[in-house]
């Protein structure tokens, strides 16, 4: 598991940035398992969620044996 640590209201690591975590939470995404129902492309449409956040989330999902929806 990642050593970056989860913060606040989500499981997502601090390394992806406060804005990204907040915006994902405002859209109902607070846990890694929820991200398996959405594509990376769909997440990129959320204001404040950029390529860096998607890369970090993808890596974290892979560590858990999960992935974004196809």
């Amino acid at each position: 598991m990642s050593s970056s640590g989860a913060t606040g209201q989500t499981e997502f690591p601090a390394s992806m940035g406060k804005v990204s975590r907040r915006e994902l939470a405002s859209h109902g995404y607070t846990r890694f398992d929820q991200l398996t129902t959405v594509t990376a492309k769909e997440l990129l449409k959320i204001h404040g969620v950029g390529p860096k956040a998607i890369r970090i989330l993808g890596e974290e999902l892979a560590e858990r044996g999960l992935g974004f929806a196809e």
Side-chain angles (χ1 to χ4, degrees):
M1 252 195 201
S2 174
S3 60
S4 55
T7 59
Q9 61 187 339
T10 76
E11 291 183 338
F12 309 137
S15 61
M16 62 181 276
K18 188 187 316 183
V19 173
S20 295
R21 291 190 322 272
R22 182 181 62 231
E23 290 303 314
L24 286 168
S26 75
H27 284 81
Y29 301 109
T30 58
R31 299 185 325 269
F32 286 105
D33 64 319
Q34 294 170 316
L35 299 179
T36 64
T37 65
V38 64
T39 66
K41 187 175 179 179
E42 290 171 312
L43 291 175
L44 282 168
K45 292 179 183 177
I46 298 173
H47 177 76
V49 178
K52 177 183 174 185
I54 296 301
R55 178 184 50 79
I56 292 169
L57 290 172
E59 291 169 358
E60 293 282 340
L61 284 166
E63 285 183 19
R64 291 163 173 78
L66 302 171
F68 295 115
E70 292 298 317

